[in-house]
Amino acid sequence: FFLPSIASPIAMLSSLVVASTAFTGPVTRAPVPARSAVRMAEFSESVPFLVKPSKLGKGMTGDVGFDPLYLSDIMDLKWLREAELKHGRVAMFACLGWMTTSTGFHPLIDALGIPAGATPLEDAGNIPYQAWTQIAFFIGAAEVFTGYLKKNPSYKPGDLLGASEYMDADDKGWQRYQLAELNNGRLAMFGIMGLIAESAIFGHPLLGLKEGGF
């Protein structure tokens, strides 16, 4: 005889719950954004602890996201690539010249009667200002020529001879050539800085060798 007295309040409570849900409608959950929709910070491939600069990673040859100073965010990317190519090319010639003169071979300064120094760094100091003026004039002429080439809408950074206009941009061989030039130029820039530092600090022409000795 206790069952009716217990069941009655339960039935009343259930009817109230059902009635209240009739006015509130079905409960819906806020949609959870997909993982791909959540924008995560993308890190540099070459410097994993730094966020990748926004202008890099767009398919440019040799682009590995290396820009720890984020210069590409405030400067023109094509101008930076051209500067990198020019400095790399000069550094490759500098390394070649440094190794050549370190063996004691000085055809130009010998012909001009300039005394050879103990290191290529001393040789550079013995060159008269007239020669340095010619070098500066040549650099300026090259920059003026480059500025003229940039007026062409199809100009590619560093392509002074216009070779890119005759090559297929998707050709694997052409891409390997461009990447090889970039990587060798980057290595040469570090290499010539090391050679200059060694010469200035230790007085060695090349890797501790005496002049004329391989």
Side-chain angles (χ1 to χ4, degrees):
F1 58 93
F2 293 101
L3 291 177
S5 61
I6 296 176
S8 179
I10 294 177
M12 292 176 62
L13 182 60
S14 300
S15 62
L16 290 174
V17 171
V18 172
S20 63
T21 57
F23 292 98
T24 58
V27 177
T28 58
R29 293 184 178 181
V32 179
R35 184 182 297 271
S36 59
V38 179
R39 193 175 187 275
M40 304 295 290
E42 188 175 357
F43 290 91
S44 169
E45 179 183 350
S46 57
V47 192
F49 54 86
L50 293 179
V51 176
K52 186 180 74 174
S54 59
K55 292 183 180 179
L56 299 185
K58 309 297 184 182
M60 181 177 284
T61 302
D63 179 8
V64 291
F66 183 78
D67 185 14
L69 299 180
Y70 296 94
L71 295 178
S72 60
D73 288 344
I74 58 176
M75 302 177 70
D76 180 49
L77 195 59
K78 290 184 177 181
W79 187 92
L80 291 172
R81 170 49 57 89
E82 177 128 11
E84 181 182 27
L85 283 169
K86 287 180 179 178
H87 284 83
R89 290 164 180 169
V90 171
M92 286 188 281
F93 277 112
C95 287
L96 179 61
W98 195 285
M99 295 176 185
T100 302
T101 56
S102 294
T103 64
F105 182 65
H106 308 96
L108 295 179
I109 62 175
D110 289 344
L112 296 174
I114 300 173
T119 67
L121 200 58
E122 291 185 13
D123 291 337
N126 292 336
I127 296 176
Y129 74 91
Q130 294 92 338
W132 285 114
T133 303
Q134 294 178 25
I135 294 173
F137 176 80
F138 176 79
I139 294 174
E143 289 298 318
V144 172
F145 178 66
T146 303
Y148 174 77
L149 292 177
K150 287 181 179 179
K151 295 180 180 179
N152 185 351
S154 62
Y155 174 76
K156 298 292 189 298
D159 187 14
L160 302 181
L161 302 178
S164 60
E165 295 187 12
Y166 304 97
M167 301 297 297
D168 182 7
D170 297 326
D171 181 71
K172 298 300 182 183
W174 176 242
Q175 292 176 356
R176 283 196 303 269
Y177 171 81
Q178 291 178 300
L179 183 60
E181 183 185 25
L182 268 174
N183 289 338
N184 282 281
R186 290 166 177 171
L187 179 61
M189 284 188 279
F190 281 103
I192 194 61
M193 286 190 292
L195 291 171
I196 293 174
E198 180 193 26
S199 180
I201 296 172
F202 302 107
H204 298 155
L206 178 65
L207 302 178
L209 299 175
K210 300 299 181 182
E211 176 131 2
F214 261 120

